Amino acid sequence: MIERLRSAWLGALTSVALAATLLFALVIAPPDSVQGDAARLLYLHVPAAWLAYLAFFVTAVASALYLWPRTRRPAWDHLAGASAEVGVICTGLTLFVGSVWGKPIWGPWWEWEARLTTTAVLFFLYLGYLALRRLGGRGAERRNAIAALIAFVDVPIVHFSVNWWTTLHQEGSVFNDRMQVSITDPLMSFTLWLAVGSFTLLYVWCCITRMRLLELEDGQAERDLARAIEARVAPTATVSA
């Protein structure tokens, strides 16, 4: 009951934060002096990219904790899976919104440059990870954890690609080497930080909700297995009697 109340309060707070973000992004914040209203897409693109980083980092940490015998718990595997699901959605959203933004700013919908290409690779790596989780079987959790750690190698490559190679993509607007928002207008800067904060709340709420569902699915699977074993044992016991 207490957990449900906490989840409800977190959901309500997230809804308010997202509504405020929408108001600032579409109405209050001014258009960019160069990009015009197309810059408003960054209030979605940047938070989605941040959540992808955060989600895959949490997946990697949870996977490492599951692999370590002293901290091995089913909850770490559930957290890794839930976080990865959110991360994949956010990575796909990052690619889509970036493409929509790139059309009026760059010209084409897509360019095979370092940041975009490595992000696309990241998207498919974690799609593969989620597909691997669906296979199940003996030792699935350990296999999933190893796969998550391997996939995470691409995350720093994506982040530092704008520094390592010459790319069309600009340096990070928030999460750059100086950790300074490269936006001079204070209202636009505030809106961007508000978007990052509200999307982080959304991530936490989604992870908590999804973990609860994964726990229920595991419980249901165990009950189904127990019933299947009882169904096979019962006829044998009757014949013996």
Side-chain angles (χ1 to χ4, degrees):
M1 182 66 179
I2 296 177
E3 290 184 1
R4 290 183 179 179
L5 285 174
R6 289 176 179 174
S7 180
W9 277 106
L10 179 59
L13 178 61
T14 301
S15 299
V16 171
L18 288 173
T21 299
L22 189 65
L23 177 64
F24 272 85
L26 297 181
V27 179
I28 299 178
D32 184 71
S33 58
V34 177
Q35 300 179 18
D37 285 325
R40 299 184 190 278
L41 290 170
L42 295 180
Y43 301 132
L44 178 59
H45 179 71
V46 172
W50 151 244
L51 280 198
Y53 285 160
L54 175 63
F56 296 146
F57 174 75
V58 171
T59 296
V61 172
S63 298
L65 289 171
Y66 182 85
L67 288 174
W68 194 24
R70 295 183 63 179
T71 57
R72 184 168 296 161
R73 300 288 187 277
W76 293 125
D77 177 65
H78 294 156
L79 177 58
S83 187
E85 290 179 2
V86 177
V88 166
I89 294 173
C90 289
T91 305
L93 185 62
T94 300
L95 290 169
F96 173 75
V97 175
S99 180
V100 173
W101 173 85
K103 178 60 178 176
I105 303 302
W106 291 349
W109 291 97
W110 181 267
E111 283 286 344
W112 290 103
E113 56 95 58
R115 172 60 69 84
L116 272 66
T117 303
T118 53
T119 303
V121 170
L122 186 69
F123 177 69
F124 287 108
L125 279 173
Y126 277 93
L127 271 182
Y129 165 75
L130 293 181
L132 189 66
R133 291 185 62 90
R134 302 294 295 179
L135 295 179
R138 186 174 181 179
E141 292 82 0
R142 185 174 185 275
R143 178 195 64 207
N144 297 338
I146 294 172
L149 292 176
I150 293 173
F152 186 73
V153 172
D154 192 40
V155 172
I157 296 175
V158 172
H159 182 70
F160 292 109
S161 60
V162 293
N163 303 114
W164 293 345
W165 297 289
T166 301
T167 69
L168 285 173
H169 200 285
Q170 68 188 55
E171 188 184 29
S173 299
V174 176
F175 302 100
N176 47 52
D177 294 339
R178 299 175 301 279
M179 288 301 293
Q180 295 178 352
V181 179
S182 56
I183 299 176
T184 56
D185 187 283
L187 195 53
M188 295 175 67
S189 177
F190 171 79
T191 303
L192 190 56
W193 278 113
L194 176 63
V196 170
S198 60
F199 271 66
T200 302
L201 287 174
L202 178 63
Y203 162 78
V204 174
W205 181 82
C206 286
C207 277
I208 291 174
T209 303
R210 183 57 180 146
M211 281 184 67
R212 188 177 297 122
L213 290 174
L214 288 173
E215 291 171 0
L216 292 174
E217 289 174 5
D218 279 0
Q220 183 62 47
E222 291 175 1
R223 289 190 293 271
D224 290 343
L225 179 60
R227 282 195 291 266
I229 293 174
E230 290 176 1
R232 290 184 65 87
V233 171
T236 304
T238 302
V239 171
S240 298

